[in-house]
């Protein structure tokens, strides 16, 4: 697939560099990274821990600012945004899925989703979001009453309910067993296909790469290579 | 330093905010304990020493005139150890620098020796000299209030003649530790009322009391019964116009001082108990959280062979740091405050030496009490740390389980948003914690309310007494009862618009076995200057005949409307009659009876006479009237309503300011302790949740609301609860302090409720905001990664 067919770039990053200072030592988490993410694509960012993939995701998600370089989301320049603008950006455009779900334990599944739909401009119905992740019958359960996979699906419902432009997932299956992890990936693929949401998944599980449109391999803060999958495998086909 | 102690030091540093909050609460508790207890002791010891050293009498009696020989007879009575006779008269004074006339109580002292009973402590100057009829010793309170010193002069109308008196000494007496005139004048007005001691050889002839006396002070023999002696004395002095002997419990100065000391003891128990209770709760809160968060560390320590004692001691030490720090701070602050408080007391209660005593035992008791609070607070947390089996401790704490609380099950949930639901469930998950937090905050509200109540009550008392009852501008008291013709003389005085005569008669009222010494005030019907009010604050018409009693007096005598009681008049021909009680009057000050002036005249068998008058005046001419009144021979005393109110307001304003500051500090410390710790713990427990929400696009403000919502909810719940507790305590106070001298009304002003609400709400909000600042430093990236 050519890039033109994919539509416009949602994110455009140029020369992204992130340097952390840990006392005397400088750690270069990202170095001169150029990257575009396109509307509707499913991207897997792959690499070992410390490869810079989380730092990249944080910058794209408006959680962190690069030391140098620029990153633009559509017409928002994230490089110069202050805390309030970053918050607004995350609120309107980004859906996050965490490795450990990070649900609010005092709220039911439905309420965890509703919490986000309450502050969104054009959300889908919270029940609808839960139906899409296959949890229509678990809506009134509290997180402590749900399995890990169910909790992660609630987290995905929470992320998609506000109809974000991009879904950023940090090791979404990292805490899950094999079959549960597959269910979660299926939900992500389904959302990507049905809603056309751009999905970026970071993982060190190379098997997941097969379900992506593009695979970005990172090593030592740089993009080592970008692969285009000719055919996206369905999550059911994945083996690890 | 052991490694565990090094961990302790770092933990203390890390938790410095929360530990400081606890430290402050403990400090307030210990400071109030030390201050109030030491003041209590100082007052008690000073009172006892003073009474013993200056031979304060046990029984007192006033009479018309008795020859000196009667004193010898009384000294022979069984139970009497010593008898001292006096001449006591009240006169009008012209004090330099004071526009209105003052009242001086001239009390005789022997010129050639010290008094056997109720001796004076000479603060400055010297004793009066024989043969010098113008020398007086002034009471310290009066001299200080009027800036008078040794060598200054005062004008006095003594038995109809204007005389200049010279102050040769300043002194104190155990009889006037609290120097008030008595009757309705129960608050000190040291500018306008003072005791002057004068040589007996100078004073007695002026009032035709040479070789005689009109006042007795008697010391009780060890083990003698007071009431038996009082009865014997009464029988002995009846024919000399005895007004009834009484013991220390009816002696105004002693009564006020003793009540104050007793009150000090009560507040010295209750206030520290509140603070230390709150401190124990906060320690429990903080330590439980720490032990919960450090499960893995505890497990590691146990795995490496640290014993339960070492681990228990480690957390106990953490509790002891703020408690002992607070105790230390509290002891010093308490000693300072106790000293200051004792100083405040010296303004109202005059002692030769109010020695401030604290003593090591008090410090030790303070330390022991704080240790108790620490143990109470730390116990459960430390026990759970000790009991934790290492293997289980290695696992993270089981995830928080939530369910919809009972409030939600009522169906309210449908009407509220998700955030409020979150807050409700958070509070509902630890109902005991929520209830204790609310209780703690409500104590802050109640403290404020109770502290303000005293001022509201006194305010109301003054408003009723001087706004509704005593509406006269001036009260004039004559030296001797005069005929009704005096009305015309008074009417002619400058500025006098209205004159209402009254007749006050000392009486003993008896009903069955109960009796009371008091006075009956005879007033003309239709009077406007002095009114009588019923329970609902409506004016009562003076009946043609029969007796009206204040309800407090009726209660004391056990009588009601329609009962007949015996009235024994204690002056003149001393008639004794049965009179019907025709109604009850509701008054907050004193106990007295009222009759129609004409009916009282008939009872006395002396026609219509007046012992004084209420005047309504033109304020513009008050200066002129004042200077006239100061020199009128027939006038034994005059008091101005305006002046009394002014003096009263000054006294009250000062103590109101001190009390308010103290209460605000106390309430703020409690609110800060509870809210700050509550919010810090919430932040520690839910920081990850809140950071996740920040990642999802929630603003600082939105998560701040989630964090502080629970504290706000608890504060809001605490306010009505605090109002209820405060009202409950206030409603007990009138019963506790009710005496024959005065009764406090149960009145709490709207301003006081508002004040309590505003202070606690503001203190809670500010404490919460201190924690909110930390939200800025939430690490949003960290939450994407690992579990805590």
């Amino acid at each position: 697939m050519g890039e033109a067919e994919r539509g416009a770039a949602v994110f455009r990053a140029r020369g992204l560099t992130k340097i952390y200072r840990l006392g005397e030592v400088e750690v270069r988490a990202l170095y001169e990274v150029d990257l575009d993410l396109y509307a509707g694509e499913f991207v897997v960012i792959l690499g070992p821990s410390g490869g810079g993939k989380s730092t990249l995701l944080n910058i794209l998600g408006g959680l962190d600012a690069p030391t140098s370089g620029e990153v633009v989301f559509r017409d928002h320049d994230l490089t110069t945004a202050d805390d309030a603008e970053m918050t607004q950006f995350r609120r309107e455009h980004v859906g996050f899925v965490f490795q450990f779900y990070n649900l609010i334990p005092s709220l039911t599944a439905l309420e965890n989703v509703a919490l986000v739909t309450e502050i969104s401009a054009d959300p889908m119905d919270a029940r609808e979001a839960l139906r899409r992740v296959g949890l229509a019958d678990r809506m009134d359960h509290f997180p402590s009453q749900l399995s890990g996979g169910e909790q992660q699906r609630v987290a995905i419902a929470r992320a998609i309910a506000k109809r974000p432009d991009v879904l950023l997932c940090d090791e979404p299956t990292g805490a899950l067993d094999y079959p549960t992890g597959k269910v979660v990936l299926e939900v992500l693929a389904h959302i990507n296909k049905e809603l056309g949401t751009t999905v970026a998944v970071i993982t060190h599980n190379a098997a997941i790469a097969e379900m992506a449109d593009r695979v970005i391999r990172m090593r030592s803060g740089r993009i080592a290579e970008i692969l285009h999958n000719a055919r996206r495998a369905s999550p059911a086909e994945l083996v690890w | 330093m052991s490694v565990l102690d090094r961990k302790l030091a770092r933990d203390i540093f890390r938790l410095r905010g929360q530990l400081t909050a606890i430290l402050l609460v403990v400090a307030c508790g210990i400071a109030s304990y030390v201050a109030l207890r030491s003041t209590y002791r100082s007052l008690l010891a000073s009172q006892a020493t003073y009474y013993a050293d200056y031979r304060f009498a046990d029984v007192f009696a006033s009479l018309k005139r008795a020859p000196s020989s009667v004193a010898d007879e009384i000294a022979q009575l069984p139970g009497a150890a010593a008898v001292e006779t006096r001449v006591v008269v009240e006169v009008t004074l012209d004090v330099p620098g004071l526009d209105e006339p003052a009242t001086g109580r001239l009390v005789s002292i022997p010129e050639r020796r010290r008094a056997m009973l109720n001796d004076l402590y000479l603060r400055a100057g010297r004793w009066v000299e024989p043969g010098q009829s113008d020398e007086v010793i002034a009471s310290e309170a009066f001299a200080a209030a009027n800036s008078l010193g040794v060598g200054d002069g005062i004008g006095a109308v003594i038995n109809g003649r204007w005389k200049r008196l010279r102050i040769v000494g300043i002194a104190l007496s155990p009889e006037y530790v609290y120097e008030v005139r008595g009757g309705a004048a129960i608050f000190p007005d040291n500018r306008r009322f003072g005791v002057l001691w004068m040589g007996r050889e100078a004073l007695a002839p002026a009032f035709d009391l040479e070789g005689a006396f009109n006042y007795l002070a008697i010391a009780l023999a060890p083990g003698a019964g007071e009431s038996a002696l009082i009865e014997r004395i009464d029988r002995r002095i009846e024919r000399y116009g005895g007004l009834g002997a009484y013991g220390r419990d009816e002696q105004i100065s002693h009564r006020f001082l003793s009540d104050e000391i007793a009150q000090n003891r009560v507040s010295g128990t209750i206030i520290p108990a509140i603070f230390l209770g709150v401190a124990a709760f906060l320690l429990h809160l903080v330590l439980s959280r720490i032990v919960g968060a450090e499960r893995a560390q505890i497990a590691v320590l146990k795995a490496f062979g640290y014993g339960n004692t070492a681990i228990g001691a480690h957390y106990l030490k953490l509790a002891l740091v703020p408690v002992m720090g607070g105790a230390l701070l509290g002891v010093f602050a308490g000693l300072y405050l106790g000293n200051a408080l004792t100083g405040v007391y010296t303004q109202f209660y005059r002692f030769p030496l109010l020695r401030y005593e604290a003593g090591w035992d008090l410090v030790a008791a303070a330390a022991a009490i704080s240790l108790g609070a620490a143990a109470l607070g730390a116990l459960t947390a430390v026990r759970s740390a000790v009991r934790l089996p290492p293997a289980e401790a290695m696992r993270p704490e089981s995830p928080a389980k939530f369910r919809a609380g009972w409030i939600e099950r009522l169906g309210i949930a449908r009407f509220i948003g998700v955030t409020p639901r979150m807050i409700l469930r958070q509070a509902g998950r630890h109902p005991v914690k929520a209830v204790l937090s609310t209780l703690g905050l409500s104590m802050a509200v109640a403290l404020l309310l109770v502290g303000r109540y005293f001022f509201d009550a006194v305010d109301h008392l003054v408003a009723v007494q001087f706004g509704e009852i005593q509406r006269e501008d001036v009260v004039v008291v004559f030296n001797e009862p005069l005929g009704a013709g005096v009305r015309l003389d008074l009417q002619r005085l400058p500025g006098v618009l209205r004159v209402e005569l009254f007749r006050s008669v000392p009486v003993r009222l008896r009903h069955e076995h109960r009796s009371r010494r008091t006075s009956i005030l005879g007033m003309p019907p239709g009077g406007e200057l002095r009114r009588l009010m019923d329970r609902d604050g409506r004016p009562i018409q003076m009946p043609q005949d029969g007796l009206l009693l204040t309800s407090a007096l009726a209660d004391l005598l056990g009588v009601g409307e329609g009962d007949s009681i015996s009235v024994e008049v204690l002056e003149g021909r001393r008639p004794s009659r049965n009179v019907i009680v025709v109604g009850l009057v509701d008054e907050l000050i004193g106990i007295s009876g009222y009759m129609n002036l004409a009916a009282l005249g008939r009872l006395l068998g002396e026609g219509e006479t007046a012992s004084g008058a209420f005047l309504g005046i033109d304020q513009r001419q008050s200066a002129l009237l004042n200077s006239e009144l100061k020199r009128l021979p027939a006038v034994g005393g005059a008091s101005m309503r305006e002046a009394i109110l002014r003096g009263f307001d000054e006294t009250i304003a000062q103590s109101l300011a001190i009390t308010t500051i103290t209460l605000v500090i106390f309430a703020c410390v409690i609110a800060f302790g509870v809210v700050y710790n509550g919010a810090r713990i919430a932040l520690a427990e839910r920081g990850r949740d809140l950071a996740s929400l920040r990642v999802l696009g929630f603003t600082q403000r939105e998560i701040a609301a989630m964090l502080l919502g629970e504290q706000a909810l608890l504060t809001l719940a605490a306010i009505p609860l605090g109002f209820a507790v405060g009202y409950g305590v206030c409603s007990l106070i009138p019963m506790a302090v009710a005496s024959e001298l005065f009764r406090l009304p149960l009145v709490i002003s709207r301003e006081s409720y508002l004040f309590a609400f505003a202070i606690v709400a503001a203190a809670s909000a500010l404490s919460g905001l201190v924690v909110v600042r930390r939200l800025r430093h939430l690490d949003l990236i960290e939450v994407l990664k690992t579990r805590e």
Side-chain angles (χ1 to χ4, degrees):
Chain A
M1 257 193 297
E3 285 182 9
E5 294 163 45
R6 254 188 270 277
V10 185
F11 281 102
R12 221 177 83 91
R14 289 296 175 268
L16 277 191
T17 299
K18 180 72 185 180
I19 296 168
Y20 294 106
R21 271 192 187 75
L22 295 172
E24 307 271 299
V25 191
E26 281 193 355
V27 178
R28 230 165 41 176
L30 276 185
Y31 187 66
E32 295 286 343
V33 169
D34 297 338
L35 178 70
D36 292 323
L37 289 186
Y38 300 98
E41 71 171 336
F42 196 114
V43 175
V44 168
I45 303 172
L46 208 58
S49 4
K53 53 189 195 309
S54 285
T55 308
L56 179 62
L57 195 82
N58 292 342
I59 293 172
L60 294 178
L63 293 173
D64 205 354
T67 313
S68 66
E70 63 160 19
V71 55
V72 177
F73 171 81
R74 295 209 173 122
D75 49 355
H76 299 276
D77 185 353
L78 298 183
T79 332
T80 58
D82 62 17
D83 184 69
E85 287 164 342
M86 293 273 237
T87 303
Q88 197 61 26
F89 161 68
R90 295 196 298 269
R91 189 171 184 141
E92 287 172 5
H93 305 290
V94 190
F96 276 96
V97 176
F98 307 96
Q99 180 177 3
F100 294 104
Y101 342 124
N102 295 23
L103 297 177
I104 306 299
S106 57
L107 298 180
T108 61
L110 184 65
E111 288 164 344
N112 262 287
V113 180
L115 191 62
V116 172
T117 58
E118 274 184 2
I119 62 161
S120 306
D122 175 33
M124 67 176 75
D125 181 57
R127 292 167 198 280
E128 164 67 17
L130 282 168
R131 257 194 297 277
R132 281 183 184 274
V133 297
L135 284 176
D137 54 340
R138 312 286 277 168
M139 286 188 192
D140 292 324
H141 288 64
F142 283 95
S144 59
Q145 299 164 321
L146 296 170
S147 73
E150 286 170 330
Q151 288 187 57
Q152 190 61 298
R153 282 189 280 158
V154 175
I156 295 170
R158 176 175 70 175
I160 60 163
K162 63 177 165 188
R163 304 184 198 279
D165 296 291
V166 56
L167 205 54
L168 300 178
C169 313
D170 192 348
E171 298 280 11
T173 59
L176 301 175
D177 60 28
Y178 177 74
T180 317
K182 279 190 154 185
V183 173
V184 166
L185 291 174
E186 260 164 15
V187 170
L188 287 176
H190 175 73
I191 296 297
N192 172 251
K193 189 179 160 205
E194 295 289 306
L195 301 176
T197 312
T198 307
V199 178
V201 174
I202 68 172
T203 180
H204 55 262
N205 185 347
I208 296 175
E210 288 172 39
M211 63 180 284
D213 291 312
R214 283 197 298 159
V215 182
I216 299 166
R217 275 185 192 280
M218 296 197 66
R219 191 173 299 136
S220 309
R222 290 169 183 275
I223 293 177
E225 63 175 330
I226 298 180
L227 296 171
H228 293 258
N229 283 334
R231 190 189 79 89
R232 277 174 61 177
S234 84
E237 300 169 50
L238 302 182
V239 180
W240 69 84
Chain B
M1 197 188 212
S2 81
V3 182
L4 216 49
D5 283 340
R6 211 170 297 162
K7 170 181 179 307
L8 181 68
R10 283 174 200 153
D11 285 347
I12 290 165
F13 182 74
R14 184 168 53 87
L15 296 165
R16 58 193 180 279
Q18 284 164 271
L19 296 182
T20 305
I22 295 171
L23 184 145
L24 287 177
V25 175
V26 173
C28 278
I30 293 300
S32 57
Y33 174 78
V34 170
L36 292 168
R37 273 302 158 119
S38 59
T39 305
Y40 164 71
R41 282 186 184 193
S42 303
L43 286 172
L44 201 63
S46 300
Q47 184 192 36
T49 322
Y50 191 18
Y51 282 4
D53 291 355
Y54 290 83
R55 302 176 297 282
F56 182 46
D58 299 298
V59 176
F60 312 83
S62 290
L63 42 96
K64 177 86 178 162
R65 183 185 195 281
S68 300
S69 59
V70 175
D72 300 332
E73 292 170 29
I74 287 172
Q76 301 303 317
L77 291 176
V83 174
E84 176 99 0
T85 65
R86 294 277 176 83
V87 171
V88 178
V89 284
E90 287 197 359
V91 299
T92 301
L93 297 179
D94 184 5
V95 180
L98 189 69
D99 292 338
E100 58 272 17
T103 300
R105 183 171 293 168
L106 299 182
V107 178
S108 74
I109 43 171
E111 279 99 341
R112 288 160 225 278
R113 59 172 175 88
R114 299 299 291 249
M116 265 191 305
L117 297 174
N118 301 343
D119 194 8
L120 301 190
Y121 169 82
L122 206 56
R123 182 79 89 193
R126 58 167 174 82
W127 201 254
V128 292
E129 270 178 13
Q132 299 294 325
S133 69
D134 64 339
E135 290 186 355
V136 293
I137 296 173
S139 74
E140 188 182 53
F142 176 67
N146 286 297
S147 312
L148 294 171
V150 172
D152 287 337
I154 313 175
V157 180
I158 294 183
N159 209 8
R161 277 188 304 277
W162 197 86
K163 185 167 177 158
R164 190 181 156 79
L165 301 173
R166 211 154 40 84
I167 297 174
V168 297
I170 306 288
L172 307 172
S173 158
E175 229 180 327
Y176 294 101
V177 178
Y178 183 72
E179 191 171 326
V180 293
R181 192 172 171 190
I186 53 166
F187 298 108
D189 183 12
N190 297 130
R191 285 206 78 186
R192 291 163 207 88
F193 173 78
V195 178
L196 299 171
W197 289 278
M198 207 171 166
R200 184 159 190 161
E201 290 163 24
L203 184 59
F207 292 91
D208 191 24
L209 286 162
E210 275 177 294
F213 63 90
N214 67 358
Y215 179 85
L216 271 171
I218 303 108
L220 218 55
E226 187 187 276
S227 53
L229 180 61
I230 286 175
E231 220 167 284
R232 285 185 202 112
I233 293 169
D234 276 346
R235 248 179 279 134
R236 204 64 209 81
I237 62 174
E238 194 184 318
R239 81 179 76 146
Y240 302 107
L243 294 179
Y246 54 92
R248 282 184 179 180
D249 60 331
E250 283 188 56
Q251 207 270 341
I252 289 196
S253 165
H254 175 80
R255 183 64 191 261
F256 264 91
L257 180 58
S258 303
D259 284 355
E260 187 69 44
I261 292 174
Q263 212 180 79
N264 233 296
R265 191 195 169 121
V266 174
S267 16
T269 310
I270 293 175
I271 297 176
I274 291 176
F275 277 101
L276 294 167
V278 172
F281 162 63
L282 294 180
L283 271 175
H284 168 76
L285 213 62
V286 172
L287 280 180
S288 303
R289 166 67 200 159
I290 292 167
V291 169
E294 293 186 349
R295 288 164 64 94
Q297 298 178 32
I298 295 169
V300 169
L301 289 173
K302 284 190 176 174
F304 288 157
Y306 277 92
N308 284 343
T309 319
I311 291 170
H314 173 68
Y315 289 102
L316 205 57
K317 278 185 206 165
L318 193 58
L320 284 180
V321 166
V323 168
M324 286 295 119
L328 197 67
L329 180 63
V331 165
F332 282 110
L335 291 176
Y336 175 81
L337 286 174
N339 212 343
L341 192 59
T342 307
V344 170
Y345 273 118
T346 58
Q347 289 184 351
F348 299 98
Y349 301 95
R350 297 278 171 168
F351 290 95
L353 181 65
L354 185 41
R355 206 177 37 245
Y356 181 64
E357 283 178 29
W360 284 107
D361 55 331
L362 199 62
V363 175
I369 293 169
S370 16
L371 272 176
L376 188 69
L379 203 66
T380 42
V382 170
R383 202 173 48 193
S384 67
V386 166
R387 279 191 178 168
L388 214 54
E392 187 190 311
M394 282 297 204
R395 287 191 290 275
E397 251 183 305
S398 42
K401 285 197 176 63
F402 282 89
R403 59 196 176 86
W406 60 270
I407 297 179
E408 287 185 70
R409 272 178 264 139
L410 294 178
I412 299 167
R414 268 173 285 152
F415 306 107
I416 59 175
V418 176
T419 305
R421 252 182 265 181
M422 215 163 116
I423 291 164
L424 270 180
R425 284 177 201 161
Q426 208 66 48
R429 196 163 99 86
H430 299 291
V432 175
K433 183 170 119 180
V435 166
L436 287 176
S437 296
T438 307
L439 218 55
L441 286 169
S442 73
M443 287 300 147
V445 177
L447 264 182
L448 289 170
L449 212 57
V450 174
R452 296 278 303 204
Y453 161 67
F454 283 96
F455 296 95
D456 285 344
V458 170
D459 244 19
H460 180 81
L461 192 149
V462 168
V464 168
Q465 193 67 27
F466 291 98
E468 304 292 334
I469 298 171
Q470 294 178 241
R471 290 141 54 95
E472 74 282 352
D473 298 308
V474 181
V475 182
V476 178
V477 179
F478 309 140
N479 286 321
E480 292 290 333
L482 300 172
V486 69
R487 170 195 296 276
L488 291 174
D489 299 327
L490 291 170
Q491 209 106 53
R492 273 195 287 267
L493 290 172
V496 171
L497 301 175
R498 193 178 172 91
V499 178
E500 287 176 15
L501 297 177
F502 66 82
R503 176 74 166 98
S504 174
V505 190
V507 293
R508 186 192 301 279
L509 302 180
R510 266 186 214 285
H511 177 68
E512 292 164 359
H513 62 287
R514 302 179 211 199
S515 79
R516 272 292 181 286
R517 281 184 328 115
T518 177
S519 60
I520 294 179
L521 192 66
M523 300 191 298
E528 282 179 9
L529 297 177
R530 178 65 64 104
R531 294 197 306 186
L532 302 174
M533 319 291 282
D534 67 10
R535 195 171 287 275
D536 306 313
R538 282 185 307 247
I540 296 176
Q541 280 304 313
M542 180 59 75
Q544 284 305 315
D545 215 334
L547 185 62
L548 293 172
L549 293 182
T550 50
S551 28
L553 181 55
D555 288 348
L556 285 170
L557 293 169
V559 296
E561 227 174 295
D563 289 341
S564 168
I565 64 169
S566 134
V567 176
E568 299 169 27
V569 175
L570 298 177
E571 67 163 51
R573 277 171 275 166
R574 301 174 79 91
S576 189
R577 300 273 156 76
N578 282 334
V579 180
I580 307 286
V581 177
V582 293
L584 297 185
V585 180
D586 218 42
E587 281 182 9
L588 297 168
I589 295 179
I591 50 165
S592 45
Y594 296 92
M595 282 182 85
N596 191 310
L597 188 58
L600 183 61
R602 285 197 294 278
L603 179 83
L604 294 171
E606 61 180 26
E608 212 161 292
T609 56
S611 54
F614 304 122
L615 307 181
I617 65 162
D618 176 358
Q619 289 295 344
R620 283 168 300 182
Q621 298 205 54
S622 67
L624 203 56
L625 178 66
N626 280 335
S627 60
E628 288 268 334
L629 282 176
K630 282 178 187 175
R631 286 163 183 263
L632 274 184
V635 171
S639 53
M640 306 281 156
R641 180 162 152 261
E642 288 298 311
I644 294 170
L645 286 176
R646 217 181 317 126
F648 184 74
D649 283 347
E650 285 163 18
T651 315
I652 289 294
Q654 199 187 5
S655 52
L656 177 64
I658 297 171
T659 313
T660 304
I661 292 169
T662 314
L663 290 172
V664 167
I665 292 174
F666 278 8
C668 287
V669 166
I670 291 183
F672 176 69
V674 173
V675 172
Y676 180 78
N677 272 305
R680 280 304 297 269
I681 287 169
L683 178 60
E685 284 173 354
R686 308 215 300 280
R688 188 179 153 80
D689 295 348
L690 296 176
S692 306
L693 294 178
R694 284 282 286 136
V695 171
L696 297 181
F698 281 77
T699 62
Q700 295 265 10
R701 197 185 287 261
E702 283 161 346
I703 60 165
M706 291 176 195
L707 178 69
L708 295 185
E710 186 185 345
Q711 303 307 318
L713 183 73
L714 299 180
T715 305
L716 285 180
I719 283 166
L721 182 63
F723 284 169
V725 172
Y727 187 88
V729 172
C730 290
S731 70
L732 296 177
I733 292 171
M735 285 183 249
V737 303
S739 70
E740 295 170 24
L741 301 170
F742 68 98
R743 292 158 293 280
L744 284 179
L746 180 55
V747 177
I748 304 173
S749 68
R750 213 171 302 165
E751 286 78 10
S752 293
Y753 283 113
L754 203 63
F755 172 77
F757 166 78
I759 295 294
V760 172
S764 298
L766 285 175
S767 313
L769 288 179
V770 173
V771 179
V772 162
R773 285 192 319 171
R774 298 185 162 262
L775 289 178
R776 264 183 244 148
H777 309 298
L778 273 186
D779 193 338
L780 304 191
I781 292 161
E782 201 53 41
V783 301
L784 296 172
K785 297 179 182 160
T786 50
R787 264 185 210 279
E788 64 178 348

